[in-house]
Amino acid sequence: MIDNIRLKVEIMWSLTITNPRSEPLQIKLTPGKMLIGRLVTSDIVINDVAASRRHAEIYFDSMSEVVSINDLKSSNGTYVNRQKITGFYRLQNDDVIRIGQTVMHLTNITNTAADQMSISGTRHFTHELVLEAVDEHPILLYEITEKLNTVVNIDEAISLVIDLIKRAMGVDVCEIILAQHFNKIKMEGADNLKVKVIRNSSVEVSPLALCVPVISSEKPLALIYLEKNRPGAIPFDKRDMQLAVAISHQTALTMVRIELLEKIRKEGQVKQLLLRFVSPIEAEDVLKDYLKTGNLPDLCEKKVTVLFVEIADSTGFSERIGPKKFSSFLNTFYQYATQVVFKKGGMVKYLGDGVLAVFMEIKDELAPEERAVIVAREIIEFVKKADPPELDRACVIGVAINTGKAMVGYVGTQERAEFNVMGNLIKMTYRMQEHALPNRIFVGVSTAEAIQNKYIVQKSGNLTMIGSEQPIQVYEVSTAKMLPFVQEDNEMVAAFKAVAEKFKARRN
């Protein structure tokens, strides 16, 4: 008689109730009838808008050890193992009851000990295991997916996953470790479970600890470690393991999506950065190299042709035409200079009230020196036509072109990189430009030699440079043969020369 009583006490049933908005709740079934519904007086209260006030009744016959459920003509129905039921339905161990988004998992407590023994240990993280896990928890995964789809950075995703796991699984400890931090994991204690997961790409389960990998295309991204440490905690079971695997899969998808979004964002950021210095076509080429290497071209020595153009006495020019008109002119000047440089395959850097352009060899294109001269002529023509109402209010520029070795590349971070050109070649070109007034083109020896068969080039004298013992020979490119411009009359030339002399006097 005592044995029979003990047997009946041990053979009990429980319902584990889960809902995306609350922690799991375990209820032991008592013999007799229990009402399920939204009524607060129900034996099992379901806080779900899809549940009726009196939704269903569950019966536990302690004599026959049979559990059954009866739908009470609810509005949205009662589902057992995804099948809608009508009337009475006999339940079996491990059956899943669904009412709206609330899921109730029926467990025969007599099988619990054996179940825990079977669930502890190692499970291979296979495609089949993931599919089975996702298939078993569609309601919770839908809620989790909906929330994770709004996340756009890794830290926020990790925080959200931890919160969702704690609520959905009722664990006391939830830790997500990214792959780059695996080397900080120790070999002993709870970390031993984590080490096994990393080494074997497996799911590791003990009664009160559970560890699953976060994997995408066989590449480990992170691991999720769960632990229960409260007194009387219910050990992890098969459904807990499945839910952890399903969440790890969704976490992997989220991390990959965020990584792709970050990659696209950086690509766009780098492309916008490049468009400040080079033409759209050149930007695409540099971007391709960046995507392969992850870096913009570093500074390195190259043979280049540089062009420097600056507005002479920009402060005085601004005072003569007014700040508003000067601002408009300056914007137009930069835009036009950039367009013509890009059109001829050059790169641009803005320097004060001037523009530095860099030209290099391009297959099937004109020589860099010739392209630079064409750009210089077009900029001069633009300035001449830029609305000079009176001669003494006109804009005056000087252009210098030089060919030689310089350090060319990008400096700074990827977010704040700057295109730069450095070396004596730049200093020399800037010095030449100071004397190329009004609206003249001065070139160095190497540039002159490269273009002398196509353009009229004349010696213009020597320039001394600080730090250089030998004077520098400078040449002037004649404007007569370049473009079919109307020649300036002697009065205009004389006036421009007078303005230039005044600028030189101010500098000195």
Side-chain angles (χ1 to χ4, degrees), residues 323-506:
K324 186 175 181 180
K325 193 170 183 180
F326 175 73
S327 177
S328 177
F329 170 82
L330 197 60
N331 286 333
T332 306
F333 172 76
Y334 280 145
Q335 289 176 8
Y336 183 81
T338 301
Q339 288 174 2
V340 295
V341 171
F342 284 175
K343 184 179 177 182
K344 293 302 178 184
M347 293 172 280
V348 169
K349 182 176 177 64
Y350 303 120
L351 299 173
D353 297 326
V355 173
L356 176 65
V358 181
F359 300 87
M360 290 184 278
E361 292 286 347
I362 300 177
K363 186 179 179 181
D364 300 327
E365 291 286 344
L366 296 174
E369 296 86 350
E370 188 174 350
R371 285 184 279 129
V373 172
I374 293 173
V375 168
R377 289 301 300 131
E378 292 192 18
I379 292 176
I380 287 175
E381 179 65 9
F382 163 79
V383 170
K384 287 180 178 179
K385 293 180 178 180
D387 190 24
E390 293 92 18
L391 191 59
D392 62 351
R393 297 178 66 191
C395 175
V396 174
I397 63 171
V399 184
I401 303 171
N402 224 340
T403 302
K405 296 288 185 69
M407 297 296 290
V408 182
Y410 295 84
V411 294
T413 65
Q414 292 174 351
E415 289 78 12
R416 297 182 179 274
E418 287 289 339
F419 172 71
N420 217 332
V421 189
M422 297 185 294
N424 288 330
L425 183 72
I426 310 305
K427 297 177 183 178
M428 189 186 307
T429 308
Y430 183 81
R431 179 86 171 115
M432 288 166 54
Q433 182 273 331
E434 290 180 323
H435 294 269
L437 298 171
N439 301 336
R440 299 162 75 187
I441 304 172
F442 278 7
V443 300
V445 176
S446 297
T447 306
E449 291 175 352
I451 64 172
Q452 62 184 349
N453 293 330
K454 295 186 178 182
Y455 303 97
I456 298 175
V457 180
Q458 300 174 351
K459 285 185 178 181
S460 185
N462 297 326
L463 286 179
T464 58
M465 289 284 293
I466 298 175
S468 176
E469 297 181 357
Q470 299 296 325
I472 300 167
Q473 179 67 57
V474 176
Y475 296 80
E476 181 175 359
V477 178
S478 172
T479 60
K481 283 284 202 174
M482 298 305 302
L483 293 172
F485 300 144
V486 177
Q487 297 298 310
E488 301 93 340
D489 56 32
N490 292 333
E491 182 181 350
M492 181 175 288
V493 172
F496 271 132
K497 287 184 177 180
V499 172
E501 291 299 326
K502 183 168 64 174
F503 291 154
K504 287 183 181 179
R506 287 182 182 178

Side-chain angles (χ1 to χ4, degrees), residues 2 17 36 74 83 91 114-115 157 163 182 201 228 245 264 291 347 359 374 383 387 399 423 440 453:
I2 294 175
I17 304 171
I36 303 173
S74 61
Q83 298 296 318
L91 298 170
D115 288 345
D163 181 64
F182 282 175
S201 294
K228 296 181 180 181
V245 169
I264 291 170
L291 296 179
M347 293 172 280
F359 300 87
I374 293 173
V383 170
D387 190 24
V399 184
R440 299 162 75 187
N453 293 330

Side-chain angles (χ1 to χ4, degrees), residues 36-101:
I36 303 173
R38 279 193 297 113
L39 279 174
V40 293
T41 56
S42 301
D43 299 294
I44 301 175
V45 179
I46 303 295
N47 293 317
D48 194 306
V49 293
S52 299
R53 289 160 58 83
R54 295 173 53 86
H55 196 99
E57 289 177 331
I58 193 164
Y59 296 87
F60 172 36
D61 186 339
S62 59
M63 297 299 295
S64 62
E65 303 297 341
V66 171
V67 180
S68 58
I69 190 168
N70 178 32
D71 180 78
L72 299 177
K73 297 182 179 179
S74 61
S75 300
N76 296 302
T78 302
Y79 293 79
V80 177
N81 302 328
R82 303 186 184 179
Q83 298 296 318
K84 189 174 182 179
I85 65 168
T86 56
F88 283 89
Y89 184 93
R90 180 171 176 173
L91 298 170
Q92 305 292 329
N93 182 51
D94 216 30
D95 277 351
V96 178
I97 305 162
R98 182 177 68 80
I99 297 174
Q101 287 189 299

Side-chain angles (χ1 to χ4, degrees), residues 6 14 76 128 141 161-162 168 184 201 207 313 351 424 461 496:
R6 183 168 60 191
S14 72
N76 296 302
E128 289 70 27
L141 280 184
V161 170
I162 289 174
K184 297 179 181 179
S201 294
D313 188 27
L351 299 173
N424 288 330
F496 271 132

Side-chain angles (χ1 to χ4, degrees), residues 43 122 164-165 215 229 246 407 416:
D43 299 294
T122 300
L164 291 170
I165 288 177
I215 296 175
N229 54 30
M407 297 296 290
R416 297 182 179 274

